[in-house]
């Protein structure tokens, strides 16, 4: 209860669509029984997430995402790669991402629109495109003022990987978090190569 209260007190909000994408991933991976297992586990924590009361496109405390991802990791025994898959899935099924890439899908377009996309999901933090090199096939991006929980690092890794995969058209994308606030750095930095 103490940890939940601490997570819920953090400033910043997340769009309902992200929470919905997490549940959709569980439904795809574990079926209806898995979705029910997740909801029961959340209810056992005091029902901090009231799924039936969440409204589309509304914003909710960012602590809900952390709690949900931690519960998913624990009850399904997911490893770090599976948490990255949840992030990748979110960018694959997101109507926001589909809208942005429906007509134009390129790394330069991604670099221009990524900070705007970030604001559709989070009221906290700032996504900054530091460097784009299409010739050498890499992009470096920073996430500033986003110091919540290490599980976000894994989730964002998957999310960013899939966005670059879509924008570049490459099937082989490698994303590394080269700086991290949870390792003492001032911000998160991701190097994504394709």
């Amino acid at each position: 209860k103490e940890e939940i209260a601490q997570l819920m007190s953090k400033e910043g909000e997340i769009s309902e669509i992200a929470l919905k994408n997490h549940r959709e991933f569980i439904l795809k991976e574990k079926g209806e029984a898995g979705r029910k297992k997740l909801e029961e586990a959340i209810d056992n924590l005091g029902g901090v997430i009231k799924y039936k009361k969440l409204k589309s496109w509304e914003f909710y405390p960012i602590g809900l995402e952390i709690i949900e991802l931690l519960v998913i990791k624990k009850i399904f025994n997911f490893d770090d790669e599976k948490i990255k898959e949840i992030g990748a899935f979110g960018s694959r099924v997101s109507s926001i991402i589909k809208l942005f890439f429906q007509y134009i899908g390129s790394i330069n377009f991604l670099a221009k629109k990524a900070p705007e996309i970030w604001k559709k999901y989070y009221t906290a933090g700032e996504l900054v495109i530091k460097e784009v090199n299409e010739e050498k096939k890499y992009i470096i991006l920073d996430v500033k003022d986003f110091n919540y929980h290490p599980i976000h690092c894994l989730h964002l890794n998957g999310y960013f990987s899939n966005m670059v995969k879509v924008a570049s058209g490459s099937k082989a994308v490698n994303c590394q978090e080269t700086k991290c606030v949870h390792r003492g750095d001032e911000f998160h930095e991701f190097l994504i190569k394709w």
Side-chain angles (χ1 to χ4, degrees):
K1 287 184 178 181
E2 195 174 298
E3 185 179 5
I4 289 171
Q6 183 183 8
L7 291 171
M8 291 299 290
S9 70
K10 296 205 178 259
E11 288 186 29
E13 295 179 315
I14 183 166
S15 170
E16 174 274 341
I17 197 74
L19 298 170
K20 179 181 175 186
N21 290 343
H22 301 161
R23 291 192 316 281
E24 291 295 319
F25 179 84
I26 295 303
L27 188 61
K28 178 184 87 63
E29 289 283 311
K30 301 291 184 179
E32 185 62 28
R35 187 191 59 76
K36 285 182 181 177
K37 184 176 180 178
L38 171 61
E39 290 179 2
E40 286 171 11
I42 294 292
D43 283 344
N44 289 338
L45 293 175
V48 291
I49 303 174
K50 294 175 178 40
Y51 289 114
K52 290 180 180 163
K53 292 188 176 185
L54 296 178
K55 295 179 183 172
S56 294
W57 301 105
E58 292 289 322
F59 280 83
Y60 295 92
I62 201 163
L64 294 180
E65 180 178 46
I66 301 165
I67 292 165
E68 186 175 59
L69 289 171
L70 289 171
V71 168
I72 287 169
K73 185 174 174 87
K74 183 173 182 165
I75 66 172
F76 297 113
N77 199 29
F78 281 179
D79 62 11
D80 292 351
E81 291 305 311
K82 214 57 168 166
I83 299 300
K84 290 177 187 178
E85 281 184 44
I86 294 172
F89 179 82
S91 70
R92 251 191 325 275
V93 299
S94 167
S95 55
I96 295 168
I97 303 301
K98 286 179 183 178
L99 180 66
F100 276 111
F101 287 109
Q102 185 173 8
Y103 300 107
I104 304 170
S106 73
I107 292 297
N108 282 327
F109 182 73
L110 172 63
K112 183 186 278 187
K113 293 295 183 180
E116 186 179 332
I117 294 169
W118 178 269
K119 291 178 183 175
K120 301 281 185 193
Y121 283 93
Y122 294 105
T123 63
E126 178 185 10
L127 179 63
V128 177
I129 306 302
K130 187 184 257 178
E131 186 177 346
V132 177
N133 191 321
E134 287 196 81
E135 185 180 312
K136 293 184 180 178
K137 298 184 177 186
Y138 72 85
I139 185 169
I140 300 172
L141 55 90
D142 296 340
V143 179
K144 298 183 175 182
D145 302 319
F146 198 76
N147 185 4
Y148 293 101
H149 194 280
I151 203 157
H152 270 140
C153 304
L154 301 169
H155 187 265
L156 292 175
N157 183 305
Y159 193 90
F160 295 147
S161 292
N162 193 68
M163 285 187 69
V164 170
K165 188 182 284 189
V166 170
S168 68
S170 176
K171 294 186 186 219
V173 173
N174 181 319
C175 180
Q176 293 179 314
E177 187 178 19
T178 51
K179 291 183 182 177
C180 179
V181 296
H182 304 292
R183 295 190 308 250
D185 296 305
E186 289 184 39
F187 52 86
H188 302 274
E189 180 183 84
F190 292 88
L191 169 63
I192 309 162
K193 299 178 180 180
W194 67 92

